Amino acid sequence: MKTIDELLAEGVAGKRVFVRADLNVPLAGTTITDDGRIRAVLPTVKALAEAGARVVVASHLGRPKGAPDPAFSLAPAAARLGELLGADVAFATDTVGESATSTVAGLADGRVAVIENLRFNAGETAKDDAERAAFADQLAALADVYVGDGFGAVHRKHASVFDLPAKLPHYAGYLIATEVGVLKKLTEDVQRPYAVALGGSKVSDKLAVIDQLLGKADRILIGGGMAFTFLKAKGYEVGASLLQEDQIPAVLEYLERAEKLGVELVLPVDVVVSAGFPDLKAKAPTEHAVVDASDIPEGSLGLDVGPKTGELYAGKLTDAKTVFWNGPMGVFEHPDYAEGTKAVAQALIDSDGFTVVGGGDSAAAVRTLGFDENAFGHISTGGGASLEYLEGKTLPGLAALED
């Protein structure tokens, strides 16, 4: 896989460089609530612009239905990119139409443009290979060189991620090179003890990664809504907590395998419960209680791991040499149910090992709860991509960058 450093050494002055970024930022109307993904691609864009390239940045945002939708416009992301660069960034109001063509044609050396949301064109996400390839041909007409730097999308077989690199000289940007290097440390050159903390709502989302990690990790800590399927498999009643009964056979198999392999598979010993789900917008105090994991009352909803579990998990993480965390321990968006997630985040900070926050809701929790991002070894920009890599899957966007 060639990197952007090799491209810069070859010279890019005057060349149109298509940067497939991941600007899929959360929006409240037109206000960006977390610009982490824009900041993540900044080193690549700056390096290319400073070297005299004409930089064309492209991305998706949200899930529009293959047609323009103002609610998913990249205009706010383009404006924020300009603020971070300290320079004007041109914005094309379409992807491959008249605006994109004229905007790119008008770029001077060292300037940057953002084209509109790629998913406004049905060809971007088409299942049909020919339809995707046709859209990729239109995108290729906008550029001389391709740089892949949208790690959050590399697990998607989309036109701008998979088909376009084959049509242009292609290189990996700084972000993708960093992300791949980090994931290799989690799979190929692991320093032990290796501890993994997995949370989130559905156990079905994490089964494949647990399957792979049972052969690699020394400890796997389970939290979030997915923990209740594990507790049910152990024979505990879970009240009205989130439960995937159809996944219990798989969970039982993993519990047995963990014991045979000598892997610590650690479950909550206490949980924070409430009679109902909190209003996350109001964030008003709620009635809740801490109960043993084996004594969840009927009708109660588990919304966080309890304080004893937080201490237990911190102890399992702080002495680890490698730590991977993906998924919050509870409904961290509400202050009454954020302590478990805080405990895990703080344990990563307190660890002397190599710590990785696996993107998605975990990265959002770090920022929402006010932790210093620089206190972690790495915060991934792609939760889904990170998990699929750890599952051992071939990621289309990475395969496309290989020579």
Side-chain angles (χ1 to χ4, degrees), residues 65-77:
K65 305 296 185 181
D69 183 340
F72 298 105
S73 175
L74 278 173

Side-chain angles (χ1 to χ4, degrees), residues 11 41 54 76 224 331 339 354 386 394:
V41 78
R54 303 176 184 187
V331 185
E339 293 304 315
F354 178 62
S386 295
T394 297

Side-chain angles (χ1 to χ4, degrees), residues 362-379:
S362 309
V366 165
R367 298 180 182 114
T368 300
L369 299 175
F371 288 98
D372 179 4
E373 295 179 47
N374 296 319
F376 301 88
H378 179 71
I379 299 180

Side-chain angles (χ1 to χ4, degrees), residues 90-165:
F91 181 66
T93 57
D94 57 25
T95 55
V96 291
E98 183 179 339
S99 179
T101 301
S102 61
T103 299
V104 173
L107 279 178
D109 292 0
R111 308 303 289 185
V112 179
V114 173
I115 63 174
E116 186 55 284
N117 192 336
L118 292 163
R119 291 185 184 175
F120 284 2
N121 190 305
E124 169 68 0
T125 59
K127 302 294 185 185
D128 181 75
D129 291 349
E131 186 178 353
R132 268 199 337 272
F135 182 50
D137 283 334
Q138 291 178 291
L139 292 172
L142 298 174
D144 305 304
V145 181
Y146 177 93
V147 172
D149 215 29
F151 181 74
V154 293
H155 58 314
R156 307 295 187 190
K157 194 176 182 180
H158 291 170
S160 65
V161 175
F162 178 74
D163 302 88
L164 182 56

